[in-house]
Amino acid sequence: MDAQIVTIVGARAGAGASTVAANLAVALARSGTGPVCLVDLDFTAGDIATMFDAEADEGGVPEAHVATRLSRGLYAILAPTVLGDPGRVPERVVSELLASLSTMYAHVVVDAPAAVNKHVVTALEYSHRQVLVTTPERPALRALGRYLDMLDTLGHDRRLRSVVINRTNPDNGIPTAEVELAARTPIAAWLPATPDIPLSINTGQPLAAVDPDHPFCHSLLSLTH
Ligand SMILES: Nc1ncnc2c1ncn2[C@@H]1O[C@H](COP(=O)(O)OP(=O)(O)OP(=O)(O)O)[C@@H](O)[C@H]1O
Ligand SMILES: [Mg+2]
């Protein structure tokens, strides 16, 4: 197999990267296009295990390359449950992990922490698609601008990028044109703010698994193409 690797980053902390990554992984697994592996790259405070009510190992640093089965066709490399130090995980761990997962899965979805580190840079380098998640507020849009600048500085191909606007609602007081301008590229998805997301996180079942027809999941589907 030769997986399509997609890395999800948040323009700033709490933008919704893990929510998008978890639901996208579920949607891809449901699409019947082959097995999916979701990688939690947040070695210090990964949320994927909690979002799927799964058991992560204390020593779950991805050296072991052991995937946990989450549901039919969906697996995960979970972050360790103990507070880790990402600086101590050698750079090659992430490149080797992604290379090895590529041979076993059709899709690899990487949930990256908001703080950029060497592992995030490596994952972005190996990705066929980079999804940047932000919210429709000016500070978050400025953070998106800084992230896009950084990707330009690192020499990444702009055609690999998609921008997703999360937690949208009709009356947040910011003109659509301003959001579109900040994205610098056509917006790949507008994901509505909904109490069903925190509810799904608290019940350990991503929304795409329990209510795939939910407007949030519908909007997310454009990312699976
Ligand atoms: N569309 C949404 N509607 C309502 N709440 C949302 C939505 N998306 C995310 N949230 C909430 O926002 C919070 C942050 O989401 P999430 O953990 O996905 O962000 P993150 O970017 O991964 O954060 P971190 O920087 O901690 O990795 C969660 O509590 C989640 O319930
Ligand atoms: Mg996260």
Side-chain angles (χ1 to χ4, degrees):
M1 250 179 246
D2 200 4
Q4 279 293 309
I5 303 177
V6 53
T7 293
I8 319 291
V9 299
R12 65 173 185 170
S18 298
T19 301
V20 169
N23 284 284
L24 177 62
V26 171
L28 285 169
R30 288 176 57 93
S31 73
T33 51
V36 179
C37 190
L38 176 57
V39 179
D40 192 341
L41 211 61
D42 193 339
F43 299 149
T44 52
D47 290 327
I48 294 298
T50 310
M51 287 181 168
F52 285 87
D53 196 16
E55 292 276 327
D57 274 353
E58 273 204 4
V61 178
E63 289 259 39
H65 290 203
V66 177
T68 303
R69 185 180 182 275
L70 297 177
S71 61
R72 194 157 173 251
L74 178 58
Y75 299 80
I77 302 291
L78 299 169
T81 51
V82 290
L83 199 64
D85 174 7
R88 285 178 48 206
V89 180
E91 231 158 299
R92 58 165 182 81
V93 167
V94 171
S95 52
E96 284 173 8
L97 175 68
L98 293 178
S100 136
L101 295 177
S102 274
T103 65
M104 294 183 277
Y105 295 91
H107 305 275
V108 174
V109 178
V110 180
D111 175 26
V116 182
N117 58 29
K118 61 187 180 184
H119 303 308
V120 176
V121 171
T122 304
L124 288 168
E125 265 166 25
Y126 275 75
S127 294
H128 303 99
R129 193 159 185 202
Q130 306 166 336
V131 174
L132 290 93
V133 182
T134 192
T135 53
E137 295 130 23
R138 285 191 179 133
L141 295 174
R142 280 197 202 103
L144 174 68
R146 290 192 294 273
Y147 216 114
L148 293 170
D149 288 344
M150 181 197 71
L151 292 176
D152 284 343
T153 306
L154 291 172
H156 288 279
D157 186 341
R158 291 183 182 187
R159 289 169 300 183
L160 305 184
R161 285 175 218 169
S162 303
V163 172
V164 169
I165 311 296
N166 185 32
R167 253 192 263 122
T168 62
N169 61 56
D171 42 49
N172 59 6
I174 191 159
T176 302
E178 185 176 335
V179 179
E180 286 171 337
L181 193 67
R184 301 181 198 171
T185 163
I187 288 162
W190 297 80
L191 306 176
T194 165
D196 294 325
I197 286 294
L199 186 69
S200 69
I201 292 173
N202 289 333
T203 51
Q205 283 197 300
L207 197 52
V210 288
D211 190 1
D213 291 326
H214 192 285
F216 178 95
C217 304
H218 259 274
S219 305
L220 193 69
L221 273 187
S222 56
L223 288 182
T224 60
H225 306 314

